[in-house]
Amino acid sequence: NSFMDAHWRFMCSPKFPPLHRWVHAELNAYPDLAAFYGDEVFGRGRRLLRSILERGMASGEFRRMDPGVAARMLIAVLTTYGNWRHRPVLCDSIGNKSDHQLLDEIKDFYMTAIRPAPAASASTLPSRS
């Protein structure tokens, strides 16, 4: 949760929109800078989140999954919502929601997606008759 909180704070900051626009508009013209950004900025966040997910899987808090995919998915959702948050006209269903409400929705969705499946009880197992 603290990873999501910190990432969301940045998404809500006034620094996010121009940086995001610049990265997507200009980095293709600078392959070395794009590689650096991909590894040192974007990649660093993904690696941190991946290690959090791996620890959660090892402890049984999260279901078994590909931690790289799960990290990429969370960052994609946070980034997309960050864009929508700064331009609510792009997604009118979030226009009336506070930053806190949006983050709660993201957390609920994501944490439900990575939660381990409940263990099957004897009453839910198929009978062998």
Side-chain angles (χ1 to χ4, degrees):
N1 276 338
S2 61
F3 179 90
M4 286 188 261
D5 292 341
H7 206 79
W8 187 243
R9 270 192 307 277
F10 174 66
M11 295 291 136
C12 293
S13 77
K15 294 176 184 178
F16 171 70
L19 180 60
H20 192 259
R21 282 192 305 272
W22 177 77
V23 165
H24 285 277
E26 298 295 333
L27 273 187
N28 287 336
Y30 305 97
D32 292 340
L33 185 57
F36 175 83
Y37 179 84
D39 188 49
E40 294 298 323
V41 178
F42 186 68
R44 184 175 290 180
R46 272 195 355 255
R47 287 188 298 273
L48 172 62
L49 183 52
R50 183 183 178 127
S51 70
I52 293 167
L53 293 164
E54 287 169 343
R55 285 192 312 266
M57 286 186 285
S59 72
E61 183 180 357
F62 305 144
R63 68 178 175 84
R64 284 277 178 223
M65 66 193 126
D66 181 328
V69 171
R72 190 176 68 233
M73 293 299 154
L74 177 58
I75 291 170
V77 169
L78 287 166
T79 303
T80 299
Y81 265 72
N83 279 317
W84 290 345
R85 183 235 173 245
H86 287 282
R87 293 193 170 176
V89 69
L90 296 175
C91 184
D92 63 358
S93 66
I94 71 163
N96 299 350
K97 298 189 180 197
S98 70
D99 293 342
H100 182 74
Q101 287 172 308
L102 293 173
L103 181 59
D104 282 349
E105 289 177 355
I106 294 167
K107 285 180 178 181
D108 180 59
F109 177 81
Y110 190 76
M111 298 308 286
T112 299
I114 66 174
R115 181 181 306 137
S121 67
S123 64
T124 61
L125 295 176
S127 64
R128 294 188 175 197
S129 32

